[in-house]
Structure formats: structure tokens, C-alpha cells
Amino acid sequence: MRSALLFLLLCSAAQAQVPHLTGTVTLSVGAGTISCDLTVTGLPQIRPYRLWLNAGFSVDMMDDARTPAKRYVPSRRYDEGESYEAFQYQILTRDSLLPLPPVLHLKYTGAFPVYRDSAQMYPWEDWMGNMSFNGTTFRASNQSAWYPILYDPERQVIHDRVTYELTVQCSDCSAVYLSGDAPKTGTRSTFRSEVPAHLLLFAGRFGFEQEGPLWFVNTPLSREQMRRIGTESKRIVRFYERLLDQPYGASLSFVSAKASAVHPGFSFVSYPTITFVGNQTGTWDIRSMFAEGSSELQENQIPFLAHELAHYYVGTVFRPSGSLYWAFNEGLTEYLASRYVRSELPDSAYRRLLGRYAARTEQIGDFKPLSEVRERGELAFDAYRYHYVPLLLTAIGLEAGDGVMDAWLRVLMQAGSPATDYAFLRSSLLAAGLPPERFGELERSLLAGPGARDQAILRVRAQYPPAGPR
């Protein structure tokens, strides 16, 4: 345990300061407009820095709230390697970067397309960072950078979890939901959270219901279906709490939203919210978790729910950054989901899941083992992060044993926001009790060289022969 303690001291100092937002957000779902008058306190003092705001916004004012007459003319740039959705702002003099003031005041506005007609929607994919207006609802997530987000370019850390007290005004809305608080009816509501949250803003004309501690916002589910999701979510949460030796955070909310693109549907997490986005035909993804006319969750949908619930631990408790960001952010999350399936579902379900990982891994064309990855963008495709990485971690677990893997997961949960590169993967496994010579063996067989992928597939298939389709 001494090595684990030393590792944690080296990679994770005290928890970072959390920004706090106050102010007013005014929007129109029908017109596609949003304006914000916000004050930010508690910004971590980092240099260099970037302040992100969605590229569709025009900044009307940026000043030091303690001295309103002291207005800034911020410099802005665009780098999709940092954020595809946002401009990056800095306060510059002729030859130096000025720090952000302790109390930053911003006013900004934006107008976005409204896609009422499915025939005129984006011909490509909708996505988590979209500022989505469809005429009846508006959706924006933390990835959208609809609120000011501080970014540390040296450590590649995004400070997008905030506490807040915000008033939302929307004259053509009947309800508003903001992550971290309960949904509210009316055209003007104030939302508060003293617990840091990734801010998903959902507004428009919709209803909502509560089932136990869970909120279901704009979902077309029956009461029994909501109850079934709640029961399975509770089982998953309890499993993770035992496995990771860490309590779960705030109660979840489930949001159903209509896509503004031709897309078969997707989901994402802005903790504590899980959002399901349906396609242009109005087919809502969350309903596909159930067989038609049934209140029983389909077995093949349970890993999906387990993945989304695991994002509290990976993304909120443990916050990856660096070259292996995607391997940890999505691959580790999927590995946690697979551990739930292995423990709580029939063996055939687990073998089918591993079979899917192996089949998709074999399709990766430009494959690089983790030891050769140098840039985050090298792993930004689904088959690698959602299929190969959990397959690889399963193979490592077969060699190292559950004791080491369980200890490793708990080490990660104490690591905060480390630079998750290959050196971190090695040091964290050593801190979990894996002997250096055993890591060397794993490196030669599973982590480095052109045969790494094939060895992972062979090792897993040997232990878990494929199960038949279901």
C-alpha cells in the first residue's frame, strides 16, 4: 500500500477549485436564441488558460465584476483539437497573458438554426456538443460550452463541473431542466446546486415524472418501465460501490430529446443526467431498452445502462486527460460495465459481450497498441475505445488476476485528474500491486508491438468461447 500512497501523492494534489456560476439565461425555443448574463467565481488560477464559449456566441461584455468599468477586449482563437464546439478566449496585453479576475462577469448572445422539419435537418450526425433547437425543445450540454468553461492546455484538464444559482427565462417554454436540480414548470425558474455538476440544459414544452429518487424528463415510458430502470440502476450502483469502495453521487435524471439530424439515436452523460437522443422520425432511444409492449429491460441493453452509470466514476470522480484520455474515459467505463455483466448477468450474456468486443476489434484498420499512442485524437474512433480497450483490460485481468485489477480500479478512483498517458497506465498498475517484472511480461505480450491486438483476442477467446446470438 505504500506504493499506492506514493503514487496518489505524486499524481493527484488537493482537489481543484470548482467554479461557481450565478446569473440569468434567457432563451427562445421557437426563435433559436439564447443570451446569458453570468458571473463566475472560484475559477482555478492556472496559466496558461483558455476560456471556452460556444462558437455561435458573440461576447457583448467581459469584465472584472469588482470593477465593472474595467472591461476586457478578449482575444479569441479556434482550435478543434481543444474543442470542436467552442472559441478559446484569453485576456492579452501586447506581450503577456493576463490572469482571469477572481470575479469574472460575461454577457453573450447567440442565434442558432431551428430544425422543425425533419427533411431540413442536418444530413450528418447529431452529437453531444450540439446546440440543438427543434422548435419545441432546446438541448445543450457541457460539451456545447453554453456556459463559460476553463481549460488548462498544459494538463489538458477541462473545468466543466460547476456549482450554480441560475435563473432561466423562456417565454415559449412550459418546463426547464438543469442538471443538478429538479425540473421545474413555468417560464421563469431559479435552479441551484451546491454539488458540482456538468450542466445539461433542456428547455421547452414537455412533462416530467419522478420515480423514487430518479427524474424522467420528457420520456415516453410507462410507470412500470420507469420503475424497472430504477431497479436495475440501483443494482448497478450498488455493484460499483462495492467494487470501487466509493459511494455513488447524486441521484440521476433521464432525459429524452429529439435529434436535429438524420441519426439512428445516441446517448450521453452530463452527470447527473443521462440523455437519450432519438432520430428524425421521433423514435426515442430510451424505448429501445424494452421489447415492444414489455416492461422488462432487454438483456442486451443492460450493459449500455451500466456503461452510462459508470460515467459518474470515470469522468466525475476520476477525470482522465492526456494521450490516453479516450482509452480511460470510454474504454475503462466500458470495462466497468463488463464487470457488472460478468457478475450479475448469465455467463452467456458476458460471453456475447466479449465476442462483440473481439469482432469489432478485428475490424480496426489503423491499429496502434497503447504503448505507441502519443495524441488523444489517435483513439477518437469507437471500435478502439469502446471495444478494444475493454477487451485488453479483460485480457490483462486474466493474466494479473481480479485482485490486482480491483486494486487498480480503486487506485484510479483516488487519482483525481492525472495525465493519463502510457506512463500513468504503468505506474497505476504498479501502485495496485502488479510486480514490475509481471508488467514487463504483459507489455511484451499485450501492450506493445504489432501482435498486441491479436494476443488480447486470443487470450479472451480461449477463456470465454463465443456464445450464440440472442
Side-chain angles (χ1 to χ4, degrees), residues 333-470:
T333 306
E334 184 62 21
Y335 174 69
L336 287 172
S338 75
R339 291 290 300 268
Y340 177 76
V341 173
R342 190 184 92 180
S343 173
E344 304 298 322
L345 296 187
D347 176 71
S348 57
Y350 183 56
R351 288 190 289 128
R352 274 191 292 270
L353 183 65
L354 295 181
R356 186 161 69 248
Y357 293 162
R360 290 297 305 277
T361 295
E362 287 176 321
Q363 297 170 7
I364 298 174
D366 186 18
F367 176 82
K368 279 189 176 182
L370 289 183
S371 60
E372 297 179 14
V373 174
R374 300 291 180 266
E375 300 291 336
R376 176 187 298 196
E378 295 178 61
L379 303 186
F381 54 99
D382 287 355
Y384 200 111
R385 50 184 174 170
Y386 290 102
H387 300 96
Y388 169 64
V389 174
L391 182 84
L392 172 64
L393 293 176
T394 302
I396 291 173
L398 290 173
E399 300 295 333
D402 281 349
V404 168
M405 296 305 286
D406 293 356
W408 179 64
L409 292 171
R410 293 172 184 176
V411 164
L412 297 183
M413 293 306 113
Q414 301 298 322
S417 302
T420 46
D421 53 14
Y422 186 72
F424 172 83
L425 176 64
R426 180 183 187 276
S427 60
S428 60
L429 281 167
L430 296 182
L434 184 70
E437 62 274 14
R438 288 290 290 127
F439 181 84
E441 294 169 5
L442 290 173
E443 188 170 50
R444 288 187 291 273
S445 62
L446 293 170
L447 292 169
R453 169 176 53 177
D454 293 341
Q455 287 301 312
I457 293 171
L458 288 171
R459 184 67 184 87
V460 171
R461 281 179 171 163
Q463 183 69 26
Y464 296 102
R470 178 168 176 174

Side-chain angles (χ1 to χ4, degrees), residues 29 46 56 58 67 90 121 135 186 214 225 231 239 243 305 331 348 358 380:
V29 170
I46 57 173
S58 295
T67 313
Q90 294 176 308
M121 291 179 179
L214 307 180
Q225 288 173 325
T231 299
F239 172 80
L243 176 64
L305 182 60
S348 57

Side-chain angles (χ1 to χ4, degrees), residues 93-147:
T93 63
R94 179 171 297 181
D95 55 5
S96 65
L97 172 67
L98 295 179
L100 291 169
V103 187
L104 178 66
H105 174 235
L106 303 100
K107 293 178 68 176
Y108 52 91
T109 60
F112 300 86
V114 180
Y115 292 102
R116 296 180 178 85
D117 183 354
S118 61
Q120 297 179 1
M121 291 179 179
Y122 294 128
W124 56 88
E125 295 184 352
D126 200 345
W127 74 103
M128 178 180 174
N130 190 14
M131 300 277 283
S132 177
F133 288 89
N134 61 30
T136 57
T137 62
F138 163 66
R139 180 191 88 237
S141 73
N142 48 305
Q143 185 176 314
S144 310
W146 69 269
Y147 58 98

Side-chain angles (χ1 to χ4, degrees), residues 32 95 131 209 237-238 241 246 258 298 381 464:
D95 55 5
M131 300 277 283
E209 296 183 77
V237 164
R238 287 176 176 169
E241 288 178 329
Q246 177 127 195
K258 187 176 180 180
Q298 298 195 76
F381 54 99
Y464 296 102

